[in-house]
Every structure is written in structure tokens, then in C-alpha cells.
Amino acid sequence: MKRIRFVAAAMLTAALAVPTATAVAADARGGGAHAWSPAAGGDSGKIAVKDNSSDGDPVKAEYYRTSSPDTKRTLWNHSGPGTTAYSGDGSRIYKFKACDENNGSPDDCSGWVIP
């Protein structure tokens, strides 16, 4: 009986120590741009943008943070096809969109996404 209680207590302790929920990233796609948040390890204060096209134009993620809700921020990726840029850490990102820059023409952007 003591062994059963010990095993049950150990399993309960392990279950409580392991997180049961993980952050699910929201993503947006506009043209060849793909943006998602939370980025890098589920941090809700980071966003990422990947260039999925080979048109030579940069991609960007436009986003807002809870600490400055009236300030639109932009994360640019000028590194070329197949590369990903990550923002620095900060307060939670509460909405964002992905855009493929089109020089001389309107950008190809997704709609706003709320993570």
C-alpha cells in the first residue's frame, strides 16, 4: 500500500510540474510574406516574418503592442528568400499583419490577425 501511495504521489507531482498548455501561434500571409506570433518559444512579446517569395522585394510584419496600443511598429526582413526575421521581446503583441513590399505599387498584405 505504501508503494502505491508513493507512486501515485510521484505521478501527481510530475503532472503538476509539466505544463499542460502551450501557446498556439496565429499566422498571417500576404503575398510572399508569412508572419506569426507568438514567435520563438511561444513568447507573446515576439513576432517573426519570413520571406517566401523570390521577387527581390522585402517583406514586413506590421504590429501593435499592448504597452503602446496607438503605435504601429514594423519588422522588416530584407535578407531575401527563405529567411526569417524576429522582433525583440516586449509587451504582448495584440494584432499584426504580413505584407510583401511592392515598390511603386500597393503592398500585398493580409488582414489584421489577433493572436
Side-chain angles (χ1 to χ4, degrees):
M1 262 329 246
K2 286 183 182 182
R3 181 174 167 85
I4 292 172
R5 284 188 197 166
F6 175 77
V7 171
M11 291 180 71
L12 179 61
T13 301
L16 293 174
V18 176
T20 57
T22 58
V24 176
D27 68 334
R29 296 177 189 269
H34 177 207
W36 64 93
S37 182
D43 188 337
S44 64
K46 290 185 178 182
I47 189 167
V49 64
K50 182 175 182 179
D51 189 344
N52 287 321
S53 71
S54 56
D55 62 5
D57 295 331
V59 297
K60 64 184 176 180
E62 295 180 342
Y63 62 99
Y64 289 88
R65 293 186 180 276
T66 56
S67 64
S68 51
D70 297 327
T71 303
K72 180 171 70 173
R73 299 171 186 272
T74 305
L75 171 63
W76 285 96
N77 181 349
H78 292 278
S79 298
T83 62
T84 302
Y86 296 91
S87 72
D89 198 6
S91 66
R92 186 177 66 81
I93 294 168
Y94 73 88
K95 74 177 180 178
F96 67 92
K97 67 180 178 178
C99 298
D100 192 348
E101 174 81 4
N102 291 321
N103 295 325
S105 300
D107 296 343
D108 294 324
C109 295
S110 67
W112 289 100
V113 174
I114 299 172

